[in-house]
Amino acid sequence: MTVRGDFKEPARCRPDLVIGREEPFGAAREQLARGGSVLLHGPAGIGKSTVLRALASEYGTPARTVLRCSATESESHLPFLALADLLGLVVDEVSDKLPAAQRTALESALTGRGESTLQRDGLALRLAVLSALRALAAKGPVLVVADDLQWLDPASAELLGFAARRLGDTPVQLLCAVRTEGQEYDRHLRASPPDTLAVRLGALSRTQVSALLDHRGYTGLPRSIVRDIHRTSGGNPFFALELGRALAENPTPPRPGEPLPVPTSLRALVLNRLEMLSDEARRTLLVASAGARPTLALLHAAGRENAEAETARAAELGLLATEPEGPAVRFAHPLISAALYAEAPAQERRAAHAALSTAASDPIERARHLALATTGTDPEAAARLAEAAALARDRGAPSVAASLGLLAARHTPADGDPGPDEHRLQAAEDAITAGEVDLARDIAREVLTRATAPADRVRAWMVVIEAAGQALGEVDTVYPQVLADAGDDPGLLALVHYQLAWRGLVVEGDFAIGREEAAHAAELAARSGDRRTELLALAFQAQTETLMGHPDAPATIKRALKEPQLPEVACHHNGAGATRYRWLIMSDQLPEARSTVSALLREVRRRGMVESEVHFVRLLAETELRSGHCGRALDLARESMRLARDSGIGEIPSAVLDSLAEASGGDVDRALALAREAVEQAGQVGDQMYVSRGLTALGHAQLVAGDAEGAVHSLRRVRELENGLGITDPARGRWHGDLAEALVRIGEVDEAQQLLDVAREHALRLGRESVLALLDRAEALVRAARGERDAAIAQLTSVQDRLAKLGYGLEEARAAFALASLRTGRPGPTSYDEAARLFRRCRALPWVRQVEQAAVANPVEPIATPAASEGLEGLASMERQVAALVMEGATNREIASRLFISVKTVEATLTRVYRKLGIRSRVDIVRLAAGRRAK
């Protein structure tokens, strides 16, 4: 089919594309914009056609002519069919431009009339296709769009390849897609123009699959179900959408331990080769699909005597992946296993599980298979499942424990002891630990529909409240109900008042209320002997006192750390260990803070505590950022953001920290976007504390970006919010210096001084040494603005030394930068070199760029010798490459990586560059280049 340049694809194509396809789509766009061709490749259902349509829509507009074909398997035997699709509607437009022999050959191929064939007049036909494309291109750019190249009829494919290889500079671009497995696209690439870029589309991440499902209307799916969809689909968007559709059409969700329902469309797609297996081989594969980690030994133990031969045959048919080493039996795609299981009758599934319940070596697996082989209530099966859940919990697999707990509830008689709801509540609490908050909330709500015992009801309400995360305002109506259920039981009331402490902080925005409720909860818990709640409440009380600058904070921390401790509380992100970390980092004890949070992170990972892991990865990133390790902090912050988005836990705090890390060591535009996202989301859920934190990050990013007015606006709001929250410790947000610096930049010097005076009073009272240094750094800028330059220089010199001793590498570098700015234009050497060196040591790339720009804008007296005046032309090739990368702001390690040389070689090369040009540092290279550009 031929389409003119105003061709438009349906509007719905583009939104799907941006989900998980930003990088390959961007690469393809750049290639097409340069005038090149693109070959998209990947397995079936991976989204090639979607990307192809969107690119064709975008790049079909500037093209005068769009030639399009889309082949199908059923038509691949018809010769010249694709050629007819491409050229059928334009043959009249170009036929008079072709020699007679070529015209006859092309018309014959397109119409099927006459005696001309590819075999008889092959050269004439090949030349005719090439000439036709050139004739179209003479009138304007041509875009050839071909989908499913693997189904192109061989005759058309040969003709298209012949022309593509000979187009040269002719303005004809090819945009094609082909189904491949692995990297098997070479044959199609050889038939494309020489400048063709091969772009592989891979699997989507779990977050991307979730976004795709939401976009298509399959919303409200529990995260555990989304996780199963991602695993079963292997990240294939077509498979994921089909599974989502099947779930949406199925009113009954799969029970715990059961695989997802696989729609008939997918079963036919992946199981068409199953008919070539014997019945016994199919039963063997069914047992393998039911097992968690199937091996040949396990299949033998489950009674499959001919497992080797049967799995070998399945591998020949592409149902199993060949494993030359190792005993694992692995399906070629997770969907094959799921479809095979879904296809089997219920009786055969139970038989497979029954065999595995005795064959599996792991007690957890044996219990799971016993449950899936059993129908109705069975006290023995329920007991074994409860024991297996406890074992999974101890192993650090709370998600597995939750699944087993629900199976135990299903097989527990109504009058059992413990009863079904006891198992369900334990499963809900395990799901909270695993980060599966949707599942936990659903279980708790179900229990509340029938539970009458106060303890069960309060316990279920606690799950509902915890599942709300930071959106506590959304469950505000729960508190009167749970207080009524608790009655006058001190143990139950302790649970309620602990949650009211969080409400006071998050919803009311009042630290004093939070502290009071936490202290009351700790007292009630101690009276009832509930050590877990007592420890959590004391940790919360200590945290609020720390942030408030309350004098009782150290004593409360000691009470929270007093024995006996509970291991699962000690490492909890709301436990005493986390509170102690916060005290350490606010007290400038960075090495001890790092070791503390690192140990906590190791322990929660061992226990499978996903929510705590998200928080501790973020806190470790914060520690590295304070220490000036910006590259490491950025990696950890991005990891925390990925974990938060995958689990739906702690997204706002992770976005705040990621913004701070990006502003210091990454992309300032991304820092601004993340901070705005955090402020918006915190405002939506009514979390005033994190509105303040988000605005702190936004103000910092604005300052780094050079937007002083924006920074002042954001940070003034932080000041108002923290005054309302009752926060007096300036070490909490450390924003005061940034606000004062921004105020100086816009000329509000008096306000800056007043701010610094108030903050200094609190910092002196609490002994916050690093905060005092930051306030002094900002005050030096105030003095400089008032004309007291010598005093400002002396103060900054002292500040830089103090920050270096405290271990705040990035803040030390900022002090050196401010010092260099004040010394600009004075006799003697500039200190921009020192600031640049310190920022590079921190990998603070946005700051490195600022220093280099300042150095160019404020040049010192020329120090170049005659050799320098000759510019860079006199350097050797490697020396020029290294110097060019220095001008881009690359570090020695980055230069080494890009040029495939060692860091020592880079250092030696730079030494030669300095000697040849008569200069002393990297900044002098930038100045020299800038001077040459200005001439």
Side-chain angles (χ1 to χ4, degrees):
M1 177 173 63
T2 306
V3 189
R4 293 296 178 191
D6 58 356
F7 167 75
K8 297 286 185 183
E9 283 293 328
R12 60 162 291 277
C13 297
R14 185 62 187 273
D16 285 352
L17 167 69
V18 298
I19 299 173
R21 297 301 182 210
E22 294 85 353
E23 187 173 339
F25 182 74
R29 287 181 69 186
E30 290 178 9
Q31 174 71 358
L32 291 169
R34 287 192 295 264
S37 297
V38 172
L39 176 67
L40 305 170
H41 66 100
I46 206 67
K48 302 181 297 298
S49 296
T50 302
V51 176
L52 185 86
R53 285 195 298 268
L55 288 168
S57 177
E58 184 169 338
Y59 285 91
T61 301
R64 178 186 178 272
T65 306
V66 177
L67 307 177
R68 188 180 183 93
C69 71
S70 182
T72 62
E73 185 177 12
S74 62
E75 298 170 342
S76 60
H77 65 286
L78 299 174
F80 305 124
L81 184 62
L83 183 67
D85 282 344
L86 289 170
L87 298 179
L89 296 181
V90 295
V91 66
D92 292 339
E93 183 179 343
V94 299
S95 61
D96 60 341
K97 308 292 191 304
L98 306 181
Q102 293 181 21
R103 182 169 59 250
T104 301
L106 182 59
E107 290 175 350
S108 176
L110 295 178
T111 62
R113 295 191 298 269
E115 299 181 358
S116 178
T117 65
L118 182 59
Q119 291 76 24
R120 183 172 303 174
D121 295 329
L123 180 58
L125 184 54
R126 291 184 180 95
L127 293 174
V129 173
L130 180 58
S131 298
L133 291 174
R134 286 174 174 165
L136 289 169
K139 299 179 180 180
V142 176
L143 179 65
V144 178
V145 182
D147 199 2
D148 284 318
L149 282 184
Q150 74 278 2
W151 304 132
L152 239 64
D153 63 274
S156 296
E158 200 280 339
L159 290 169
L160 188 60
F162 175 86
R165 293 190 297 272
R166 290 163 175 80
L167 285 169
D169 295 332
T170 306
V172 177
Q173 295 174 266
L174 269 66
L175 173 59
C176 305
V178 62
R179 181 185 300 179
T180 58
E181 296 296 335
Q183 299 293 322
E184 301 168 2
Y185 61 92
D186 289 351
R187 175 170 60 88
H188 300 283
L189 193 59
R190 286 193 297 271
S192 303
D195 63 346
T196 299
L197 174 69
V199 177
R200 177 168 178 79
L201 300 183
L204 299 181
S205 68
R206 187 195 304 180
T207 303
Q208 292 163 349
V209 165
S210 177
L212 180 62
L213 291 167
D214 286 345
H215 174 71
R216 286 298 187 90
Y218 305 129
T219 56
L221 293 173
R223 292 186 183 274
S224 56
I225 293 293
V226 174
R227 179 197 61 200
D228 290 344
I229 290 175
H230 177 257
R231 183 180 63 243
T232 303
S233 68
N236 183 298
F238 173 72
F239 295 169
L241 288 171
E242 286 295 291
L243 291 168
R245 180 180 60 78
L247 283 165
E249 294 173 354
N250 187 351
T252 305
R255 293 188 296 183
E258 292 184 346
L260 298 176
V262 180
T264 305
S265 59
L266 292 185
R267 295 188 200 183
L269 180 66
V270 300
L271 296 181
N272 56 356
R273 288 159 289 185
L274 197 63
E275 296 177 357
M276 302 175 69
L277 289 175
S278 66
D279 290 343
E280 288 300 310
R282 291 164 71 172
R283 292 192 185 96
T284 296
L285 289 191
L286 175 61
V287 173
S289 71
R293 294 174 296 276
T295 63
L296 288 173
L298 178 66
L299 294 176
H300 279 299
R304 309 313 303 168
E305 298 177 356
N306 299 315
E308 285 92 347
E310 290 162 350
T311 55
R313 176 58 179 154
E316 291 175 4
L317 295 172
L319 294 165
L320 295 178
T322 55
E323 297 283 355
E325 298 179 2
V329 175
R330 187 168 63 86
F331 285 89
H333 191 282
L335 189 62
I336 297 175
S337 174
L340 179 65
Y341 188 93
E343 188 81 6
Q347 184 176 354
E348 290 189 15
R349 291 189 216 170
R350 287 196 294 272
H353 287 296
L356 289 168
S357 69
T358 58
S361 58
D362 185 85
I364 293 176
E365 277 299 292
R366 289 199 300 270
R368 185 179 76 88
H369 288 303
L370 176 62
L372 295 173
T374 304
T375 57
T377 59
D378 186 324
E380 180 183 352
R384 286 180 58 181
L385 285 162
E387 292 171 3
L391 181 58
R393 200 174 303 119
D394 291 341
R395 288 183 181 178
S399 179
V400 174
S403 176
L404 292 168
L406 290 175
L407 286 170
R410 194 171 96 197
H411 292 293
T412 299
D415 58 352
D417 186 20
D421 281 346
E422 172 69 21
H423 291 306
R424 291 189 181 94
L425 287 170
Q426 181 61 63
E429 290 164 356
D430 286 331
I432 285 284
T433 302
E436 298 183 10
V437 292
D438 295 328
L439 175 62
R441 185 190 302 108
D442 290 345
I443 297 170
R445 291 285 188 186
E446 180 191 351
V447 170
L448 285 167
T449 60
R450 57 175 173 270
T452 57
D456 288 347
R457 292 188 61 80
V458 171
R459 192 175 171 188
W461 284 126
M462 292 301 101
V463 171
V464 171
I465 293 170
E466 287 194 42
Q470 288 174 278
L472 287 178
E474 296 178 4
V475 292
D476 223 20
T477 58
V478 163
Y479 296 99
Q481 300 176 58
V482 70
L483 280 169
D485 285 332
D488 57 0
D489 186 314
L492 298 181
L493 285 171
L495 295 171
V496 181
H497 282 282
Y498 174 66
Q499 293 298 342
L500 285 171
W502 280 105
R503 181 187 177 278
L505 182 63
V506 174
V507 179
E508 298 291 335
D510 192 321
F511 274 63
I513 292 177
R515 175 179 178 270
E516 181 181 343
E517 290 286 0
H520 187 36
E523 187 270 328
L524 288 167
R527 195 193 317 166
S528 65
D530 181 356
R531 183 61 173 162
R532 181 181 186 277
T533 303
E534 181 186 9
L535 289 171
L536 286 171
L538 286 171
F540 183 93
Q541 181 184 346
Q543 180 180 343
T544 55
E545 290 174 350
T546 299
L547 295 174
M548 294 169 68
H550 197 285
D552 291 348
T556 308
I557 291 175
K558 286 182 180 179
R559 287 177 61 199
L561 292 169
K562 187 177 178 181
E563 296 294 340
Q565 290 290 315
L566 301 177
E568 68 275 14
V569 177
C571 66
H572 194 276
H573 61 279
N574 288 327
T579 301
R580 180 172 179 271
Y581 159 81
R582 181 57 62 190
W583 173 263
L584 289 168
I585 200 166
M586 292 177 70
S587 302
D588 301 322
Q589 300 179 56
L590 296 182
E592 193 169 353
R594 180 185 293 106
S595 63
T596 297
V597 74
S598 297
L600 289 168
L601 180 58
R602 285 193 297 271
E603 181 62 16
V604 299
R605 280 175 168 165
R606 187 185 72 80
R607 291 176 174 270
M609 298 167 66
V610 175
E611 183 173 7
S612 294
E613 180 183 2
V614 172
H615 286 280
F616 289 140
V617 171
R618 188 183 74 252
L619 295 181
L620 182 56
E622 180 181 347
T623 310
E624 298 295 352
L625 191 58
R626 295 275 182 94
S627 304
H629 305 153
C630 297
R632 173 71 172 148
L634 186 59
D635 290 342
L636 287 165
R638 288 173 175 173
E639 179 185 351
S640 175
M641 195 72 241
R642 285 193 298 270
L643 281 170
R645 284 181 170 157
D646 282 349
S647 62
I649 295 170
E651 291 186 62
I652 297 172
S654 293
V656 169
L657 198 281
D658 198 2
S659 172
L660 291 169
E662 291 284 355
S664 298
D667 185 329
V668 180
D669 288 338
R670 176 170 163 76
L672 292 165
L674 284 164
R676 291 186 176 111
E677 174 189 329
V679 172
E680 181 182 358
Q681 291 183 357
Q684 288 173 352
V685 300
D687 189 338
Q688 294 303 300
M689 185 170 68
Y690 266 97
V691 169
S692 168
R693 295 300 299 271
L695 286 168
T696 300
L698 178 58
H700 178 73
Q702 288 168 325
L703 185 66
V704 176
D707 179 10
E709 290 186 0
V712 167
H713 177 72
S714 298
L715 296 176
R716 277 174 174 165
R717 290 181 61 197
V718 173
R719 180 174 58 188
E720 294 170 6
L721 285 167
E722 291 206 351
N723 287 339
L725 289 166
I727 298 173
T728 60
D729 191 340
R732 184 256 181 180
R734 303 169 70 88
W735 50 266
H736 307 76
D738 280 351
L739 177 53
E741 182 175 339
L743 286 167
V744 170
R745 291 189 190 182
I746 67 170
E748 299 289 346
V749 178
D750 292 340
E751 183 183 345
Q753 187 64 63
Q754 292 169 7
L755 166 73
L756 294 171
D757 291 342
V758 172
R760 182 178 284 105
E761 180 182 350
H762 293 297
L764 283 169
R765 174 175 60 85
L766 297 167
R768 303 303 193 213
E769 292 296 326
S770 67
V771 173
L772 287 167
L774 298 182
L775 297 175
D776 284 350
R777 185 181 69 198
E779 188 173 57
L781 300 179
V782 172
R783 288 183 171 182
R786 289 173 171 170
E788 304 169 20
R789 181 164 290 204
D790 289 338
I793 289 175
Q795 190 169 18
L796 281 172
T797 303
S798 170
V799 165
Q800 183 179 346
D801 182 59
R802 287 153 59 194
L803 288 169
K805 289 178 180 177
L806 289 169
Y808 287 81
L810 181 59
E811 303 298 351
E812 175 195 357
R814 286 183 63 182
F817 188 18
L819 195 56
S821 301
L822 293 186
R823 285 175 172 164
T824 297
R826 292 197 157 202
T830 179
S831 57
Y832 280 128
D833 294 351
E834 173 70 0
R837 181 185 69 80
L838 292 173
F839 280 130
R840 286 196 183 91
R841 184 183 69 182
C842 296
R843 292 184 61 88
L845 300 183
W847 290 102
V848 169
R849 287 190 283 272
Q850 286 195 38
V851 172
E852 292 178 346
Q853 290 167 4
V856 171
N858 301 285
V860 296
E861 289 298 316
I863 59 172
T865 65
S869 65
E870 297 173 1
L872 304 178
E873 287 78 5
L875 299 177
S877 174
M878 177 61 72
E879 293 165 351
R880 283 199 305 273
Q881 292 181 64
V882 170
L885 291 172
V886 167
M887 292 177 210
E888 296 176 12
T891 64
N892 286 3
R893 187 172 298 278
E894 290 168 341
I895 294 171
S897 175
R898 290 169 67 173
L899 297 181
F900 302 100
I901 57 178
S902 69
V903 175
K904 288 186 176 180
T905 301
V906 174
E907 293 169 350
T909 304
L910 277 175
T911 300
R912 292 196 301 274
V913 170
Y914 298 156
R915 186 173 62 250
K916 288 184 178 182
L917 298 180
I919 60 178
R920 292 194 298 262
S921 72
R922 290 166 158 264
V923 175
D924 292 329
I925 294 178
V926 177
R927 290 197 196 103
L928 179 60
R932 294 174 67 244
R933 287 194 294 267
K935 291 180 181 178

